[in-house]
Amino acid sequence: MKMSRSSSSRKVDSAGSRFCAAVLLGLILLGCVRESCGAGDDGDVRGKQMLERPCDEIYVVGEGETLHSISHKCGDPFIVERNPHINDPDDVFPGLVIQIIPTNLQ
């Protein structure tokens, strides 16, 4: 049975989406493990950083947002580089899940 190009393309897209979701889940779990293992005297500092952070590491794009506005809001100028599932920076839509790593924390 011969598969059409659009069908195989959808399978590749689906596999890529599942891979990205697995990577993001792994990052979340890794962050949870790091936080629970590193509870020491610097716990107050980490708590303040968490309160001052403008965005979560896993960010869901909202209506009317662009990568530029998210980058400015969250302090992460490298959103495209950190999210290989974004093929076209101009094609950002509500509900898209991206990884954010703020670089301007004080």
Side-chain angles (χ1 to χ4, degrees), residues 29-98:
L29 293 174
L30 181 62
C32 292
V33 169
R34 270 200 241 158
E35 284 181 19
S36 65
C37 290
D41 293 337
D42 61 345
D44 290 336
V45 173
R46 285 189 187 152
K48 288 178 185 175
Q49 285 179 343
M50 292 298 288
L51 290 175
E52 294 172 359
R53 289 177 61 180
C55 302
D56 292 328
E57 283 186 33
I58 304 302
Y59 187 88
V60 180
V61 176
E63 185 73 35
E65 289 186 308
T66 64
L67 288 181
H68 180 72
S69 67
I70 296 168
S71 175
H72 182 72
K73 173 182 174 184
C74 299
D76 184 359
F78 303 106
I79 293 174
V80 175
E81 291 83 0
R82 291 190 178 115
N83 293 277
H85 62 284
I86 299 175
N87 297 321
D88 181 3
D90 295 326
D91 187 25
V92 178
F93 51 89
L96 178 68
V97 177
I98 57 177

